[in-house]
Amino acid sequence: MKNPFHQESKKESLEEVLENSIQMEEDLMRTYLITAERINDDAELKDRLENFAEGNAKRTKQLIDELQKEK
């Protein structure tokens, strides 16, 4: 017989991992955007940083979607 408390613990643990991952992605996105805003002499680097931030935004959205499925 499965322990129902163990299952709940796994679900809470997964939710915690997803929430922490969302926070990390958002922090990275902000860092990339702030850094990109400060770059004036290297358009290529600025563009790459903005692309990194866009990737973080997409991953954040995916993580939020996964978190919503778990709740």
Side-chain angles (χ1 to χ4, degrees):
M1 177 176 224
K2 289 185 177 180
N3 183 342
F5 296 109
H6 180 67
Q7 187 67 18
E8 187 64 30
S9 176
K10 284 175 70 174
K11 183 175 180 178
E12 288 174 5
S13 178
L14 177 58
E15 288 177 2
E16 187 175 313
V17 168
L18 292 171
E19 288 169 354
N20 288 338
S21 296
I22 290 167
Q23 185 62 51
M24 286 188 291
E25 291 292 341
E26 288 176 340
D27 289 345
L28 283 169
M29 180 177 54
R30 272 191 294 276
T31 300
Y32 292 141
L33 288 173
I34 290 168
T35 304
E37 287 177 8
R38 294 178 178 169
I39 295 175
N40 297 317
D41 59 343
D42 191 338
E44 185 178 331
L45 177 57
K46 183 173 187 155
D47 187 49
R48 284 197 315 266
L49 289 168
E50 289 169 349
N51 287 336
F52 291 161
E54 187 176 312
N56 288 103
K58 289 177 183 177
R59 281 188 298 280
T60 299
K61 172 71 170 105
Q62 292 170 332
L63 289 164
I64 290 170
D65 291 346
E66 288 300 320
L67 185 59
Q68 293 304 316
K69 287 180 191 177
E70 292 299 318
K71 289 187 176 184

